Amino acid sequence: SAVISQKPSRDICQRGTSLTIQCQVDSQVTMMFWYRQQPGQSLTLIATANQGSEATYESGFVIDKFPISRPNLTFSTLTVSNMSPEDSSIYLCSVGWAGLGDEQYFGPGTRLTVT
Amino acid sequence: AQKVTQAQTEISVVEKEDVTLDCVYETRDTTYYLFWYKQPPSGELVFLIRRNSFDEQNEISGRYSWNFQKSTSSFNFTITASQVVDSAVYFCALSEATNTGNQFYFGTGTSLTVIP
């Protein structure tokens, strides 16, 4: 298993600004993922954060809007850029290993409100 | 098409009742994994169970049990003698291999409320 922390836990931001969310895990992991969960909805994968290379984005998500860094095997950041109210959501970091059957462990999430 | 379907959006039960959460999945792979996660009001998803496609044995863990049936592509979750602490959103998920690596697909979740 893994223990994951995220900062900030919540924030209220003005439209047009950017917010960087940090994800720290207590052990080295192969995979780190970023999800968005809009109110009352399921989880949507934004991207897979790759250590030492560019993130792999899912359809509908682009690097300019959601730049991601992963400088090492225990840390990643997600930036939500030029925010609009539609970006209000919970952003979740998860970690896992490379095997098909490996479960993902989730951080506590960052609750973002854009006004 | 939705790969994981949780048809029950919300369920309410009275404490001590049994409740079953349904999950139907869709895949063409012969090797895949199924998961259940719990998301309590605090928001953090908690991993409950993993099942691989070759193991159809039912599993019981305390008050929780899971019924995996490949014939109906279902992986249902039963809570026996429900408690207020079971109130949460429960997500079923499928993991399968894709061109870009292993992909998780989450269902839309079932919100369970246990009334004291």
Side-chain angles (χ1 to χ4, degrees):
Chain A
S1 67
V3 177
I4 303 134
S5 60
Q6 281 186 238
K7 290 181 183 178
S9 58
R10 59 177 64 229
D11 208 341
I12 301 173
C13 301
Q14 291 193 340
R15 67 172 68 209
T17 63
S18 297
L19 175 72
T20 295
I21 303 167
Q22 298 180 2
C23 176
Q24 179 78 51
V25 62
D26 68 342
S27 57
Q28 293 187 345
V29 291
T30 311
M31 314 292 288
M32 294 183 80
F33 306 93
W34 287 97
Y35 288 84
R36 181 173 72 183
Q37 186 180 23
Q38 294 180 310
Q41 303 295 315
S42 186
L43 285 76
T44 301
L45 181 64
I46 298 171
T48 302
N50 301 310
Q51 195 260 330
S53 64
E54 222 170 73
T56 304
Y57 289 85
E58 297 300 306
S59 175
F61 298 96
V62 295
I63 188 172
D64 291 345
K65 176 67 176 178
F66 297 102
I68 287 170
S69 79
R70 189 173 173 196
N72 56 51
L73 293 175
T74 64
F75 185 79
S76 178
T77 67
L78 167 76
T79 299
V80 187
S81 304
N82 188 25
M83 289 184 284
S84 66
E86 292 72 35
D87 294 319
S88 297
S89 192
I90 298 173
Y91 291 86
L92 293 156
C93 169
S94 76
V95 304
W97 291 262
L100 175 62
D102 291 329
E103 65 271 25
Q104 292 184 21
Y105 291 93
F106 285 82
T110 296
R111 189 178 296 269
L112 171 62
T113 303
V114 184
T115 60
Chain B
Q2 191 75 16
K3 278 196 166 282
V4 179
T5 301
Q6 295 179 255
Q8 304 150 308
T9 306
E10 295 180 0
I11 301 176
S12 291
V13 298
V14 176
E15 202 170 19
K16 298 185 183 176
E17 286 184 349
D18 299 346
V19 59
T20 296
L21 310 181
D22 297 333
C23 173
V24 174
Y25 63 93
E26 179 183 330
T27 181
R28 294 181 180 175
D29 290 0
T30 54
T31 303
Y32 54 89
Y33 285 78
L34 297 162
F35 301 81
W36 276 96
Y37 284 84
K38 174 182 180 180
Q39 187 176 39
S42 60
E44 187 165 349
L45 276 93
V46 177
F47 164 70
L48 295 178
I49 191 171
R50 167 188 50 224
R51 173 66 70 212
N52 76 57
S53 53
F54 299 106
D55 183 1
E56 284 193 77
Q57 276 194 339
N58 291 336
E59 180 151 346
I60 298 174
S61 176
R63 296 185 296 107
Y64 295 172
S65 62
W66 291 269
N67 181 269
F68 175 32
Q69 291 195 344
K70 288 178 73 170
S71 61
T72 55
S73 297
S74 65
F75 186 44
N76 296 337
F77 174 27
T78 297
I79 302 174
T80 305
S82 59
Q83 300 176 3
V84 173
V85 293
D86 296 326
S87 296
V89 180
Y90 291 85
F91 290 96
C92 180
L94 164 73
S95 176
E96 62 178 18
T98 68
N99 292 338
T100 54
N102 301 325
Q103 179 79 295
F104 255 65
Y105 301 93
F106 284 89
T108 50
T110 297
S111 177
L112 173 66
T113 301
V114 180
I115 304 165

